[in-house]
Amino acid sequence: GAVVSQHPSRVICKSGTSVKIECRSLDFQATTMFWYRQFPKQSLMLMATSNEGSKATYEQGVEKDKFLINHASLTLSTLTVTSAHPEDSSFYICSATDRKTLNTEAFFGQGTRLTVV
Amino acid sequence: KNEVEQSPQNLTAQEGEFITINCSYSVGISALHWLQQHPGGGIVSLFMLSSGKKKHGRLIATINIQEKHSSLHITASHPRDSAVYICAVRGRWGGADGLTFGKGTHLIIQP
């Protein structure tokens, strides 16, 4: 089946630094990649939708200058948390849809647990 | 915006019991997903439904589009089924829409 690889799986960084998270579709071309965030004991929430070659669409309340998304190719999207603060500590997970079948299974990365100290 | 409600929030059962988790949503969708999240956070897609019923091993998922309701059933439950089960819906734009998630059902199966 389709595989989405996300890394790193865990990262601890100092407040004020930036962290980059990568999401790759390994055996299919992803028209669209989604970035989600999950705070402890909360449901997953969509942060932004990333389309290859165009600017990401951010959900209300998500700062685009803080969470930089780059979808440079059909197999790679990156999320950079800039000037991270402790309140950005969360579980970040990406999901991708297959270019060939738009309404398709949800393929998820393994997730990244970010801790900002 | 779609509201996705799951019940129950927590469920503890004995090994072998038949498990049902329910999901309702408020706005029409293109697809509904049942997901399994393990303690480390990783998510596995169990089913994607747009109508009817699907079965995979001991898992069965049904959806009633008119009633905006779906159920996930686990037959002959086993401790390894212990996980958080999440219902998520995709909007009418299909693959171009992100998912809206329920809060999840924390299932524990005791031996």
Side-chain angles (χ1 to χ4, degrees), chain A residues 14-83:
Chain A
K14 290 185 178 180
S15 188
T17 61
S18 295
V19 174
K20 181 185 282 189
I21 303 169
E22 288 192 353
C23 181
R24 292 181 185 271
S25 56
L26 296 186
D27 53 1
F28 67 98
Q29 292 184 326
T31 311
T32 305
M33 288 188 176
F34 304 94
W35 288 96
Y36 301 93
R37 178 169 57 182
Q38 184 179 37
F39 291 108
K41 300 190 184 301
Q42 299 291 318
S43 59
L44 286 146
M45 296 292 289
L46 178 66
M47 296 176 66
T49 302
S50 167
N51 294 295
E52 184 263 340
S54 63
K55 289 184 179 180
T57 303
Y58 291 81
E59 295 299 297
Q60 194 171 11
V62 178
E63 300 174 57
K64 63 180 181 180
D65 294 329
K66 181 170 184 62
F67 298 98
L68 301 179
I69 292 173
N70 186 295
H71 193 160
S73 75
L74 283 170
T75 59
L76 174 65
S77 178
T78 60
L79 168 68
T80 301
V81 183
T82 63
S83 187

Side-chain angles (χ1 to χ4, degrees), chain B residues 9-88:
Chain B
Q9 279 189 298
N10 298 283
L11 178 57
T12 300
Q14 296 297 312
E15 183 174 356
E17 286 189 39
F18 181 81
I19 303 299
T20 296
I21 300 171
N22 295 300
C23 175
S24 61
Y25 52 93
S26 58
V27 179
I29 60 173
S30 60
L32 181 144
H33 297 256
W34 280 104
L35 310 168
Q36 183 188 54
Q37 186 172 31
H38 289 282
I43 292 176
V44 174
S45 178
L46 300 175
F47 294 103
M48 185 188 76
L49 295 162
S50 54
S51 65
K53 176 180 175 178
K54 286 188 176 181
K55 184 176 189 294
H56 185 250
R58 295 180 293 105
L59 301 178
I60 303 166
T62 64
I63 188 168
N64 184 317
I65 295 295
Q66 288 72 31
E67 295 186 2
K68 296 185 177 61
H69 181 269
S70 176
S71 294
L72 175 68
H73 306 285
I74 305 174
T75 61
S77 59
H78 190 276
R80 64 175 175 266
D81 296 326
S82 299
V84 177
Y85 292 83
I86 302 171
C87 169

